[in-house]
Amino acid sequence: MAGLVARRIVLAVPVLLFVSLAVFLLAAASPFDPIHQYYGVQIFDASAADVARVRQQLGLDRPVPLRFLDWLGGVLSGDLGVSRSMRRPVADVLAERLPWTLLLAGCGLALAVVFSLFVGTLAAWRQGGWLDRLITALGHALEGIPPFVVALLAIASFSLGLGWLPVAGLTDAGSALGPAQVAEHLVLPAAVLGLSQSPWLVLHVRQSLLAAFTEDHVTGARARGLRERVVVLRHALPTALLPFVTLIGARVPELVTGAVLVEEVFSWPGVASAVVTAARAADYPLLTVLTLLATAAVLLGSLLADVAAVLLDPRVSADG
Amino acid sequence: MLNRRTLITSSMAALAVASTSCAAPSGTGGGDPANMLLADGYEPSSLNPLLGYARWGAAKFYDGLLAFDGNGRLRPALAAEQPRPSDDARTWTVRLRRGVKFHNGEPFGARDVVATYRAAIDPAYAATISSGLSMLDEVEAVDEHTVRFRLNVPYAAWPARMVMGILPASALAEAIPQERSPLNTQPVGTGPYRLAEWRRGERMVWRANRNYWGGTPRIGEITVVFATDDNTRAQRVQAGEFDGTVLPPLLAERVGGGAYRTVHHDTADYRAITLPADHPVTGDPAVRMALNLAANRSEMVDSLLGGHGEPAYTPIPPSMERFHEPEARLEFDQRRAREILEEGGWRSGSDGIRTRNGTRASFTVMYFADDTLRKKFAQAFASDAGKVGVRVELAGVDRTEAAERIGTDAIVLGGGTPLDPDPQMYPGLHSSMIGTGTYRNPAKYRNSRVDAALDAGRNTVGEAERARHYKEAQRAYVEDPGLVYLAFIQHSYVVRTGVWNGYQPVVEPHTHGTTWGPWWNVEDWTPKK
């Protein structure tokens, strides 16, 4: 187990290095000049000499490989650089926004897991019935709908139509930050994020349960005359859970993209919506760190899934 | 191209419009005269004056040495009295107000002014406003409450550079590029309001500075909510959520009424088309004059701005009364425009486009693709040019592409400040500015009469004398125009009525939003009783 974790962490280093280098090279190849970002509207009466001096002061005149090494040196010594679109250290941006993203993604994921276990089990139990057919059809339909469409539909019905929940933001326009306000504003984005992640999980739970139903120990349990409830929940479900845990880990990339779209639509002040801001503003210091963060989340997700699988079933051996 | 972001915002807007009747219920606007709730479409990226925050005044968190009085004059703020220039306008001495404290409790004095202006021109701070202060050679403290600016050229417009917010010397002790400065998010000034809270992308709360030298502001707390979409802001105002907001003119007219009043403010904010001197078509004097006569400016003001603007012929708007030359006009006359082109040798071709010696009368006008109003001006201009036989191609560009092509292709420019005619005319029209910066005289305009008048305006201290030079510059310019100035656009707002006294109209710079607009002097407003 410790070996697995250590091996993965060692492997993660070159992956993260490669990803950050790739973002830097893309930045260098992009047509956007970061000096325009730094100047904003002041560029309109800036003199060429001053712009050149500022470029030099910010180190933007140095060749890309050197800038990458500068940046890497900074990161290793704990300085993540300065975000040009937010005008503050990247570390501050993360400290302020990461908790909100973790809250949203955590609630969304938890909701998706609970919801899909429940609905997936229900569908498998009633296989072939109208409920199963409805759930399967909806699941397949939802797989094809991007999260931002779900988000807009949710806003249209629950905020604008019914007026039950606020449209966007962390609090109402004039209100101070408080648990009640945040909870009220969290419901819709977390539900949308959870719902948009759930079709794969629901269909998967259903499928592995159906497979488990045909296994010997389940047939045996049925033969012993146990109640159906006990057979499904105590004998079939645990077998079906193992691949489910792995799947949750593998869904992390989808969760990250889902969070970007959901945060953007709901003006949720997390790191994912900062990705959009940073990309639009050609803010590469921030974009690089956020890309790294997303990569790390994906690596961590698959690591945790593997660890869980090994723990749950000693027969599994990860990384061959 | 329709990207995902525009798709999201436009569908949001569509949803919002589709359900006007049931806006999200919330808000504290309207009730309590000690609090104000405003909505802004634009969120500043930094609150640091060295990175351009509130460069032309109305900074709220900061005071300049001077402040705009709303009527085209500057009054002392952190200065105790009007600055005293030397006869050659190269040395300016300013006595400072005493007993002023910064928000952090530090006393204000000459060393703070010295530190702020030195940081603004010291490359180590990488300030983005340094180019506007290029004439500053040295600033020194004469005593604790007097500073002296030494300039490297005579510069009578120096007071317009004294509205910049003053920072405490302690915040500038370390010479670092200002992108790392804590002042970007935690402003420390002497201004009437201090920043209480700033949640990026959401809202900013200003709280009254109880020790303000001008008296504690009566409106104790002002919350500014950021909502980029114009329709969303309009809808939320209609629902009574806000005490005011900035809106495009037509939307502002629609929302105003009842508890809200719509106001339109005059500005020095022009829109103009550059005519590059090096281009075989736009460099020709006949074409330049003809295009100026062909542009139907009043029609543009009516159709693009709903009448809330003013035709522009030169960069000096009528609202800068003393400096405006009413005679400097280029009257709309397409027939005369065609005659001028004929006289200049441009003959009509079979496709309606004129040619001269094999050169087609055709050129490209660029506009920033994210700016709808500039695009509309470019389209209107292209249509008018077409009517006299000049073909104008349009190109939506980003800032980087514009910078690369600006020397050879025309572009829609915008900007302006009413504080002084010098920043309004000199960088755009003086021949010495050619080649010194991307947006400085980008079309390479050269006119020795204009140059001489603009130089004289810098060298002369007396106001009446200066006004004479700037009027001469405008007259000389319209005889040989090098751009097509199209219009000064008004800025429009809705404000809640019946709660406060103190609204006073103001002539605005290009910058607008909740720091300017009706709230430019909000520190002086009082509750209505």
Side-chain angles (χ1 to χ4, degrees):
Chain A
M1 179 62 60
L4 165 70
V5 175
R7 220 167 25 247
R8 288 297 183 82
I9 289 175
V10 170
L11 270 178
V13 173
V15 171
L16 292 175
L17 266 179
F18 177 77
V19 167
S20 45
L21 182 61
V23 175
F24 255 81
L25 292 178
L26 282 175
S30 105
F32 296 110
D33 185 346
I35 204 75
H36 286 137
Q37 177 61 34
Y38 185 74
Y39 263 85
V41 295
Q42 313 307 330
I43 195 78
F44 293 115
D45 57 0
S47 73
D50 281 347
V51 173
R53 257 200 302 277
V54 168
R55 195 188 287 279
Q56 194 186 3
Q57 198 67 38
L58 299 179
L60 292 173
D61 57 338
R62 288 156 64 80
V64 180
L66 284 182
R67 263 151 67 190
F68 179 67
L69 289 179
D70 286 351
W71 175 83
L72 197 63
V75 170
L76 293 179
S77 66
D79 177 5
L80 295 182
V82 179
S83 157
R84 274 188 203 105
S85 60
M86 311 261 173
R87 304 273 191 188
R88 53 198 297 208
V90 170
D92 285 11
V93 176
L94 291 187
E96 185 182 275
R97 289 175 168 257
L98 198 54
W100 296 123
T101 297
L102 292 179
L103 178 68
L104 175 63
C107 290
L109 190 62
L111 217 62
V113 168
V114 172
F115 176 78
S116 41
L117 274 180
F118 181 71
V119 175
T121 311
L122 212 59
W125 203 338
R126 297 272 177 264
Q127 193 207 353
W130 65 269
L131 192 62
D132 178 33
R133 288 207 299 274
L134 180 72
I135 290 171
T136 317
L138 276 181
H140 283 297
L142 212 55
E143 262 183 329
I145 302 178
F148 69 90
V149 174
V150 181
L152 291 171
L153 289 176
I155 292 177
S157 19
F158 295 104
S159 305
L160 301 175
L162 298 168
W164 290 351
L165 290 165
V167 177
L170 204 54
T171 63
D172 293 335
S175 315
L177 196 61
Q181 278 280 324
V182 174
E184 191 191 7
H185 284 72
L186 177 64
V187 174
L188 216 46
V192 167
L193 189 59
L195 189 67
S196 64
Q197 298 306 312
S198 57
W200 288 267
L201 303 181
V202 168
L203 296 175
H204 189 273
V205 169
R206 174 180 175 275
Q207 204 53 48
S208 33
L209 258 183
L210 290 181
F213 285 159
T214 64
E215 282 187 34
D216 293 346
H217 71 282
V218 178
T219 322
R222 282 221 168 94
R224 291 202 301 276
L226 293 175
R227 277 185 299 137
E228 186 64 10
R229 207 181 137 78
V230 177
V231 172
V232 172
L233 297 183
R234 301 282 293 279
H235 291 80
L237 196 56
T239 334
L241 273 185
L242 186 59
F244 182 65
V245 170
T246 323
L247 181 70
I248 293 174
R251 294 297 304 166
V252 171
E254 284 294 327
L255 190 69
V256 170
T257 30
V260 169
L261 296 174
V262 169
E263 285 193 2
E264 185 62 15
V265 173
F266 286 98
S267 314
W268 188 259
V271 281
S273 64
V275 171
V276 181
T277 318
R280 282 161 53 88
D283 180 358
Y284 295 111
L286 182 57
L287 199 57
T288 314
V289 172
L290 293 180
T291 314
L292 278 184
L293 206 61
T295 316
V298 171
L299 293 177
L300 191 69
S302 73
L303 174 62
L304 287 181
D306 287 350
V307 168
V310 173
L311 285 180
L312 289 175
D313 185 348
R315 288 173 304 173
V316 173
S317 97
D319 289 354
Chain B
M1 200 189 81
L2 192 66
N3 59 30
R4 189 170 266 171
R5 163 80 181 202
T6 40
L7 187 65
I8 294 173
T9 38
S10 52
S11 24
M12 284 287 279
L15 284 176
V17 169
S19 54
T20 321
S21 54
C22 43
S26 71
T28 54
D32 183 0
N35 294 311
M36 188 184 266
L37 182 60
L38 302 175
D40 203 335
Y42 168 82
E43 182 176 15
S45 65
S46 161
L47 304 178
N48 185 343
L50 296 179
L51 292 181
Y53 179 72
R55 192 174 166 198
W56 300 113
K60 303 297 183 279
F61 310 124
Y62 304 99
D63 289 305
L65 295 175
L66 301 178
F68 198 40
D69 74 345
N71 295 318
R73 282 174 204 275
L74 293 163
R75 58 176 172 77
L78 287 181
E81 59 186 23
Q82 291 291 348
R84 284 193 309 266
S86 63
D87 287 340
D88 63 355
R90 289 174 76 128
T91 308
W92 293 76
T93 311
V94 189
R95 283 208 314 116
L96 303 177
R97 194 176 289 278
R98 288 161 191 258
V100 176
K101 279 192 163 39
F102 284 101
H103 296 161
N104 61 7
E106 290 174 23
F108 159 78
R111 62 192 195 104
D112 302 302
V113 180
V114 170
T116 303
Y117 277 86
R118 280 192 185 155
I121 56 172
D122 181 348
Y125 290 85
T128 57
I129 52 162
S130 54
S131 305
L133 300 170
S134 60
M135 61 294 288
L136 178 59
D137 209 21
E138 176 56 330
V139 48
E140 61 198 0
V142 178
D143 58 46
E144 262 181 55
H145 300 285
T146 314
V147 289
R148 185 171 294 141
F149 295 95
R150 291 186 198 285
L151 312 183
N152 49 32
V153 289
Y155 192 59
W158 183 249
R161 310 290 178 184
M162 286 200 236
V163 296
M164 179 180 106
I166 300 297
L167 294 159
S170 60
L172 298 169
E174 200 188 347
I176 46 165
Q178 288 300 294
E179 61 174 356
R180 287 180 177 269
S181 168
L183 293 166
N184 295 336
T185 47
Q186 293 145 19
V188 180
T190 58
Y193 286 91
R194 60 176 79 202
L195 182 69
E197 187 195 9
W198 183 11
R199 289 215 307 276
R200 289 269 178 171
E202 289 216 8
R203 63 177 205 155
M204 206 186 261
V205 180
W206 312 341
R207 201 156 292 149
N209 173 6
R210 299 187 148 278
N211 303 317
Y212 189 53
W213 55 267
T216 308
R218 297 288 298 279
I219 302 178
E221 193 171 287
I222 299 180
T223 303
V224 180
V225 172
F226 301 108
T228 24
D229 188 72
D230 292 336
N231 287 307
T232 310
R233 278 201 313 286
Q235 188 204 3
R236 287 169 77 174
V237 165
Q238 242 164 359
E241 201 179 326
F242 299 123
D243 293 315
T245 191
V246 50
L247 286 173
L250 298 176
L251 209 49
E253 283 291 336
R254 206 159 68 231
V255 173
Y260 294 94
R261 169 176 175 200
T262 305
V263 295
H264 304 279
H265 286 173
D266 283 334
T267 68
D269 190 4
Y270 63 78
R271 294 292 177 275
I273 314 266
T274 62
L275 299 173
D278 291 347
H279 190 282
V281 177
T282 54
D284 182 57
V287 172
R288 290 163 171 246
M289 182 56 87
L291 289 173
N292 262 288
L293 301 184
N296 192 346
R297 297 173 171 86
S298 347
E299 170 63 27
M300 290 181 199
V301 168
D302 285 343
S303 61
L304 306 184
L305 304 173
H308 300 294
E310 198 135 13
Y313 309 100
T314 75
I316 304 297
S319 52
M320 289 175 69
E321 297 154 0
R322 322 195 282 297
F323 297 108
H324 174 69
E325 170 58 73
E327 305 283 303
R329 291 170 69 91
L330 293 151
E331 295 294 350
F332 173 58
D333 188 346
Q334 290 187 341
R335 183 193 304 197
R336 178 78 196 115
R338 287 188 201 97
E339 281 170 20
I340 290 173
L341 287 170
E342 288 290 334
E343 287 160 17
W346 296 93
R347 305 272 176 255
S348 259
S350 53
D351 57 352
I353 311 299
R354 292 171 189 274
T355 51
R356 184 176 73 174
N357 306 331
T359 307
R360 263 165 66 86
S362 161
F363 64 100
T364 303
V365 170
M366 303 182 287
Y367 56 86
F368 295 134
D370 55 2
D371 189 327
T372 333
L373 185 61
R374 290 188 193 198
K375 178 182 180 179
K376 288 182 184 165
F377 271 112
Q379 286 167 336
F381 173 75
S383 146
D384 284 341
K387 288 178 190 156
V388 296
V390 178
R391 169 104 183 119
V392 172
E393 310 277 355
L394 299 178
V397 296
D398 61 53
R399 304 292 191 271
T400 312
E401 192 180 351
E404 282 160 9
R405 293 171 59 181
I406 200 165
T408 46
D409 285 323
I411 186 169
V412 187
L413 284 188
T417 169
L419 296 190
D420 193 277
D422 177 79
Q424 192 76 345
M425 291 191 89
Y426 198 98
L429 296 174
H430 198 281
S431 65
S432 71
M433 288 283 119
I434 296 172
T436 62
T438 307
Y439 292 94
R440 294 176 159 204
N441 197 350
K444 305 194 180 80
Y445 180 71
R446 279 174 205 278
N447 180 316
S448 52
R449 249 180 87 198
V450 171
D451 281 357
L454 291 179
D455 285 331
R458 283 191 160 188
N459 298 339
T460 324
V461 175
E463 191 183 271
E465 186 83 350
R466 286 191 75 211
R468 212 167 49 74
H469 292 307
Y470 286 107
K471 289 184 175 184
E472 155 66 9
Q474 292 164 66
R475 284 193 302 271
Y477 168 81
V478 293
E479 282 174 27
D480 169 31
L483 295 87
V484 186
Y485 285 96
L486 294 173
F488 298 104
I489 63 170
Q490 285 188 327
H491 296 162
S492 307
Y493 306 87
V494 287
V495 237
R496 191 185 293 280
T497 54
V499 186
W500 298 282
N501 288 321
Y503 167 70
Q504 202 188 319
V506 64
V507 180
E508 296 186 17
H510 178 65
T511 329
H512 60 301
T514 45
T515 52
W516 282 85
W519 310 284
W520 72 279
N521 65 342
V522 74
E523 59 270 21
D524 300 330
W525 286 25
T526 53
K528 210 169 239 178
K529 262 286 168 268

